[in-house]
Structures are given as structure tokens and as C-alpha cells.
Amino acid sequence: MVEAFRNFIGVRWVAGESGRLFDDTNPADASDVIGRFPLSGTGDVDAAVAAARAALPRWRAMPAPARGEILFRAGALLAERKEIVARLMTREMGKVVREARGDVQEAIDQAYLSGGEGRRLHGQTAPCELPNKLGYTVRVPVGVCALITPWNFPVAIPAWKAFPALICGNTVVLKPAEDAPACASKFVEVLAEAGVPEGVVNLAHGRGEEAGAALVSHAGVDLVSFTGSREVGAAVAAECGRTLKNVSLELGGKNAAIVMPDADLELAADGVLWGAFGTTGQRCTATSRLLAHERIAAAFVKRLVKRAEALVVGNGLDARVEVGPLVNREQLSRVERMVKAAVRQGARVATGGRALAAGEHRRGHFYAPTLLTSVTPRMRLFREEVFGPVLAVTTFRDYDEAVALHNDCEYGLSSAIYTRDVNVAHRAARDLEAGITYVNGPTIGAEVQFPFGGVKNTGNGHREAGQSALDIFSEWKTVYVDFSGRLQRAQIDTARVVGGGAAKQP
């Protein structure tokens, strides 16, 4: 019998108000239904926001170190259940189980990083211009935070958002993607068991256009943190602008790896393959473009083709498998359309370029690891995010052309360059328009202690992870303490020395 899951509101698991459900299926085997989940509507969102708002005064008043202790417990519980959650993740959204373990580990790391901030959350002090006066700053919570998360990192990204939000004293409502609701339920289950008080964490399943839209427009929500497509992100930003909500967006990427003629080509092949086909290319940091110097391009592509054709595609729970399925039928169709369009425009298929639908692949959404050569900047494939196992290859003559090709893109999330020349490496770190630059490494592999995010249409300027995440989920408050015992007027009661004498006030 298929399990029916519920929303988490206040302190209880509750059925959706409408009783409508949707199926969560295994992308490697569409006949495998993981569970049925509520199609939440406005009433469910109202209840979740009300619970979060009711819990806010008590949670924000709890000392931050005590909040941190709860996050430490959540991290420990995730560590204990790492294998269970990882295997559920693979079954639910398809990434191979080795990668799924890494996804859970990111959440564990974020729990400990954010928990430690409970004993920091540093403010600033500066000298005041008047005697017997103290000035300092503190972080205060924003309020109720709506967290709208994608399916490709179904535990790590909720952790990236929820843990910094919680340590800052906010309460949250999580709306996960429809393709990964079971992982979100496990995540919230861990937080509840770790001791998060009633109403501090709430979970509302459902579609973006219903539950997600209701959250974004809700008058009781103070901040929206969204990860997803550029198009939806723009709509979220517009709605938040209308109501003056705080909003943080992490959107698309069209990341490129540059391979210079002096590069270690075996190392570059390792990195490009992992960047292009890890998580079946379904990462916002995936290596979607390869910019190869014309002197080494042919030999390098030949090396990549040989290795790509050796990759094992299948169910990610099989230890032999290196590339899993695409998340759903719609995404498979999108990849097929984009590859066909590129070929019509003049690109050449070096390997792959087809769906896999026979034998062990017949029940899932599989696509062969694909390399396309002769890709030019005028092609959609050069400019638009694919979110699939497709690598577009473009050649260049020199460093300046490589940088120009890299930067000829509306996105700017991650970038990579392979070179043995330290001067070129540092020039690239300066010149590449991206929030992240790797030298002699793939475009994927961010670490939680550093800021994550990009420039241009990749987002709206915020950075997740690291201490920079605290700037999303807190507001600065300045405190002045005057212990002079009399009225002092800043900028008026100050005497400044000018040219050796006291300046008179105007």
C-alpha cells in the first residue's frame, strides 16, 4: 500500500485541507510510487504561516546558543540517518547514491556551521563622537520566512536556507518541490525530533502555482527565499517588490570550463566529466559549456567521448551506476528538444544525443551522456540552461577570446579554468563574470563555509551558505547607549579640531 504523507503545521502532521493528493514517483522506475502528498491550498498555507507567526516571539527570545544546540542535535540525527535519507533521495529524484550521501552531508555540515553561529552572530562596535556614549550593532530576525526549494538538492538546499534562518531567530514555512517531497518530510521530521518548538518549522507540500504562490503573496510572510528557474524567480521578485517583502533568489547557471593549451588534460577530463554529468547535469553549477583551446580541442574531445561512452547509466541505487535518470518526463523532453534544436542549427553530436528507453532503462527517464561540438554563441544551447547530461563544446584562439565567450551569457554562477600558468589563473579569477571560479577543478563542489551565489541573472545579489547567509535572514539594528546623564545632540554638540583650533558650530 502506498503511504499517504501529510503537512507539518505547528507541532502535528496534518492532512491537507482539500484532501487532494499527488503521487511522488521514482524517476528510474515510474511504476514505483514513493508516496502520496497533499496538494496544499490557501487554507493550508494560512495555517502554516499562522503557526510560524505565533511561534516567533518565543523563538526569537530564546538565546541564540540554545537555538544552536537544537541545530547540533539535528545535525547528529541526520548523520545517524544518512544512509536511510540518501537511499530515499536516490529513489525519489534519481541522483546516484554516492552523490545522495554527499547531499545529506552538506546538510549535516550546514547544521554544525549554523549551530556554531549561535555563539557568534557578531555585530560591530565603533567609537561614538560624543563622550560617555556607546554605539553597537546587533542582528535581529526578519520574521516569518517562506523557503521554496528545488528537487535537485532536496536535503542540502532546505538546510542551506532553514538552518541560517533558524539560528537568526526566524520561524519558517518550507514548501519543497513536487519532485522531492519525501526528503523534505524526513528533513522536517529530524528538526522536530531535535527539539524545535511548536510552530517554528512548518511544512506545506504542493504545487508552486498554488502553495508556492500563496506563500509568496501572504501578508504574514516577511521574507521569501527561492531557488529555481529565472522565469519563476522574476515573478517571485515582482510579487515581493509589490508588498516590500525581503527576497533572496538563487536562479540559473550556464557554467563554462575553460581548458587552456598548457592544461593537464587528464585532470581537465576528470573535472569536465564530473562537472557535466554529475547529478545527470541537473545542478545549477553543472558544466554546461566547454571552452577548449583550438590547439588541443580535437584530442581533448576525443578523450572525453571515450570516457563518456564508458559511463554506466541506470538506477542510482545500483553501486555500478555513475549517471542516473532525469527527474521527470518533462525534463527528459526538454533535453531532447534542446539537443535537436542545436543539431538543426549546426551542432554535431560527438556522442549520445538520444534518450535511453530499452531494457533496464524502459521504465525511467534516461538520456545518454552527450557531447555536442561546433556549438556557436548564436545557438540556444550555448546560452540557455539545459539541466541535463549535455555538454556544449566551443573552441577559442586565445585567453581573451575564452573570457569573452565565457562572459557572453546572461548567467554568472560558476566557472572553471584549467591551466598550469599561475598568471593566467589569477587573471581568470579576476576576469570571469561569475560568483564562483575554480582553478584546476570542476564547476561543481561548493562548500558550506563559503558564500554561494552568482551575478547577472543568476540571482538578486544575495549569497547563501557561509556567514553571508546571515545577511539574508537577519536585519541590522543599531543601539546607542548614552550614559552621560544629560541630553547630547549628535552632529550638534561636537567640537572638531580644524587647523589646530576648535571649530565653531554653525
Side-chain angles (χ1 to χ4, degrees):
M1 184 175 178
V2 177
E3 183 177 0
F5 287 77
R6 298 184 172 196
N7 293 329
F8 187 78
I9 296 177
V11 74
R12 296 186 301 118
W13 295 95
V14 296
E17 189 177 77
S18 71
R20 296 179 302 143
L21 301 172
F22 67 94
D23 287 353
D24 177 27
T25 59
N26 183 343
D29 181 357
S31 67
D32 177 22
V33 180
I34 290 122
R36 294 194 169 96
F37 291 82
L39 279 167
S40 300
T42 302
D44 303 291
V45 169
D46 286 345
V49 173
R53 186 143 299 278
L56 183 60
R58 183 180 175 190
W59 179 247
R60 68 181 295 165
M62 180 184 289
R67 298 197 295 261
E69 291 296 326
I70 293 173
L71 298 191
F72 288 144
R73 288 197 291 274
L77 287 169
L78 282 169
E80 288 176 11
R81 298 169 193 178
K82 184 175 180 178
E83 189 65 18
I84 293 171
V85 177
R87 295 184 76 83
L88 172 63
M89 186 184 304
T90 297
R91 184 178 166 215
E92 180 172 52
M93 57 72 61
K95 69 171 66 176
V96 299
V97 73
R98 293 188 301 280
E99 292 186 53
R101 294 184 189 112
D103 191 311
V104 182
Q105 186 60 51
E106 275 200 56
I108 295 165
D109 295 342
Q110 185 66 60
Y112 293 139
L113 181 71
S114 296
E117 286 298 335
R119 293 188 179 273
R120 289 187 293 268
L121 287 178
H122 298 307
Q124 300 172 327
T125 61
C128 284
E129 63 188 45
L130 296 171
N132 299 315
K133 183 179 179 183
L134 172 67
Y136 63 92
T137 63
V138 293
R139 292 182 183 273
V140 296
V142 178
V144 174
C145 300
L147 312 181
I148 302 176
T149 59
W151 49 263
N152 59 333
F153 282 84
V155 176
I157 292 179
W160 277 21
K161 296 179 187 295
F163 292 156
L166 293 172
I167 200 63
C168 288
N170 302 284
T171 56
V172 304
V173 179
L174 172 62
K175 205 301 284 184
E178 301 95 299
D179 287 302
C183 284
S185 291
K186 284 292 182 186
F187 178 74
V188 169
E189 183 181 295
V190 161
L191 279 167
E193 191 172 330
V196 172
E198 178 178 351
V200 171
V201 174
N202 304 274
L203 171 67
H205 292 292
R207 296 193 181 103
E209 57 268 30
E210 294 179 283
L215 262 179
V216 170
S217 63
H218 202 290
V221 169
D222 301 294
L223 179 150
V224 176
S225 179
F226 171 82
T227 297
S229 72
R230 177 192 178 280
E231 292 73 23
V232 176
V236 168
E239 176 61 25
C240 289
R242 187 184 67 80
T243 56
L244 296 181
K245 284 186 177 69
N246 289 14
V247 59
S248 170
L249 305 174
E250 203 288 292
L251 308 176
K254 189 64 179 176
N255 316 292
I258 298 170
V259 180
M260 299 298 290
D262 67 331
D264 178 335
L265 295 185
E266 189 61 24
L267 174 63
D270 288 342
V272 170
L273 282 167
W274 172 229
F277 304 129
T279 321
T280 320
Q282 298 174 119
R283 295 189 186 210
C284 53
T285 55
T287 306
S288 190
R289 296 182 293 158
L290 167 61
L291 306 178
H293 192 279
E294 61 186 14
R295 203 161 75 217
I296 54 90
F300 188 61
V301 168
K302 185 177 180 181
R303 185 188 302 241
L304 289 176
V305 166
K306 182 178 179 181
R307 293 184 56 177
E309 290 176 346
L311 293 172
V312 179
V313 180
N315 189 322
L317 290 173
D318 183 336
R320 300 173 301 114
V321 167
E322 298 163 285
V323 179
L326 290 158
V327 70
N328 55 39
R329 176 62 60 184
E330 292 74 21
Q331 188 58 27
L332 176 61
S333 296
R334 172 179 167 77
V335 172
E336 289 182 305
R337 289 194 305 271
M338 290 197 71
V339 170
K340 288 177 181 177
V343 170
R344 286 195 300 270
Q345 290 180 303
R348 298 180 179 178
V349 177
T351 189
R354 67 190 189 283
L356 303 176
E360 63 180 308
H361 301 126
R362 69 187 185 282
R363 293 182 178 175
H365 315 307
F366 296 97
Y367 198 84
T370 297
L371 273 79
L372 294 172
T373 61
S374 302
V375 176
T376 66
R378 67 183 176 84
M379 297 179 184
R380 283 183 61 205
L381 192 69
F382 185 89
R383 299 185 169 280
E384 294 184 20
E385 193 171 36
V386 180
F387 237 58
V390 178
L391 180 63
V393 183
T394 304
T395 60
F396 63 88
R397 295 182 301 276
D398 55 28
Y399 170 81
D400 289 337
E401 185 181 15
V403 170
L405 286 167
H406 176 279
N407 293 345
D408 185 14
C409 179
E410 68 173 308
Y411 299 108
L413 180 52
S414 189
S415 59
I417 186 166
Y418 288 86
T419 179
R420 289 187 173 98
D421 188 327
V422 66
N423 294 333
V424 169
H426 282 288
R427 288 175 66 194
R430 178 196 65 194
D431 296 340
L432 299 179
E433 294 174 354
I436 303 166
T437 294
Y438 290 88
V439 176
N440 294 325
T443 59
I444 64 178
E447 300 182 28
V448 298
Q449 68 270 30
F450 292 104
F452 180 89
V455 299
K456 301 181 181 178
N457 287 343
T458 289
N460 64 336
H462 290 292
R463 295 291 183 270
E464 296 188 316
Q467 286 194 327
S468 58
L470 304 177
D471 292 327
I472 298 172
F473 294 107
S474 63
E475 304 272 21
W476 285 111
K477 183 174 186 177
T478 302
V479 179
Y480 295 108
V481 180
D482 190 321
F483 51 96
S484 68
R486 64 184 180 86
L487 172 64
Q488 298 191 96
R489 295 168 294 181
Q491 290 89 42
I492 295 177
D493 289 346
T494 56
R496 297 179 177 86
V497 176
V498 180
K504 294 181 179 179
Q505 293 297 314

